[in-house]
Amino acid sequence: MKKIAVYNGSFDPVTNGHLDIIERAAKTFDILYVTVAIHPTKVGLFTIEQRKELLKKATAHLKNVIVDSTDELFMDYVKKVNGQVLIRGLRSTTDFDYELQYAQSNQYLNSQIEIMYLMTKPSHSFISSSVVKEIASYHKPLTGLVPECVEDALKKVYQDQ
C-alpha cells in the first residue's frame, strides 16, 4: 500500500519555508499532494491557477508531488485521495496554538487520518507569504525567501507600483 500524504495551505505565494516542508515530506511518502486551499471569501494576490502553476514549477524536481486545489474540508479531501496523513508546517511557537486547535478539530472530523507536523529549518522560520509580499511590494530582493519563479511573478505584480 502506498503511503499518501497531503500538505495544504494557501500558498499565496509558495515560499522556501513551504518548499522545505514539501521536500522533506516528499522523501517520507510515496505520494505527496500539495493542495491549495480555496477559501471563497478570501481574495489572494495570485489566483488559484497561478498558485498551482508556481507550485508545479517550484516542485518540478520532486516526481512524487501532485499539485492540486480544493474547496472541500481537508479531512474529506485527504480521504478522497486515499491519504493517510495530513502534513502541517510549524515555523515557531506562535503557530502552535492555531495548529493545536486545527489538529483537534480535524481529528474530530476523521480520527483515522494522522496529522504530522514538520518544523521548518531555523533559516526559514521567519518566512511567511505575507512577509514575502510586503518585501516584494517595496521592490526589495527576495533571494533565499522564495523560488526564483515566485520572485519573477512577484516582480511582475509589483512592477507598476
Side-chain angles (χ1 to χ4, degrees), residues 70-86:
T70 187
D71 60 358
E72 297 173 76
L73 282 171
F74 268 100
M75 295 309 259
D76 291 342
Y77 176 83
V78 175
K79 184 177 178 182
K80 182 176 88 174
V81 298
N82 298 314
Q84 298 92 24
V85 177
L86 177 62

Side-chain angles (χ1 to χ4, degrees), residues 5-19:
V6 175
Y7 177 44
N8 66 306
S10 61
F11 304 113
D12 188 36
V14 61
T15 68
N16 284 349
H18 294 129
L19 200 52

Side-chain angles (χ1 to χ4, degrees), residues 77-113:
Y77 176 83
V78 175
K79 184 177 178 182
K80 182 176 88 174
V81 298
N82 298 314
Q84 298 92 24
V85 177
L86 177 62
I87 302 290
R88 300 292 294 168
L90 290 171
R91 292 173 293 185
S92 66
T93 57
T94 56
D95 289 343
F96 183 77
D97 286 338
Y98 170 79
E99 290 297 338
L100 179 62
Q101 184 179 18
Y102 185 85
Q104 290 171 338
S105 61
N106 279 324
Q107 287 292 288
Y108 169 79
L109 292 170
N110 188 333
S111 62
Q112 301 303 308
I113 296 170

Side-chain angles (χ1 to χ4, degrees), residues 10 26 33 35-36 38 65-66 75 95 104 109 118 120 124 147:
S10 61
Y33 284 84
T35 307
V36 177
I38 300 173
V65 168
I66 298 169
M75 295 309 259
D95 289 343
Q104 290 171 338
L109 292 170
L118 296 175
T120 59
H124 299 310

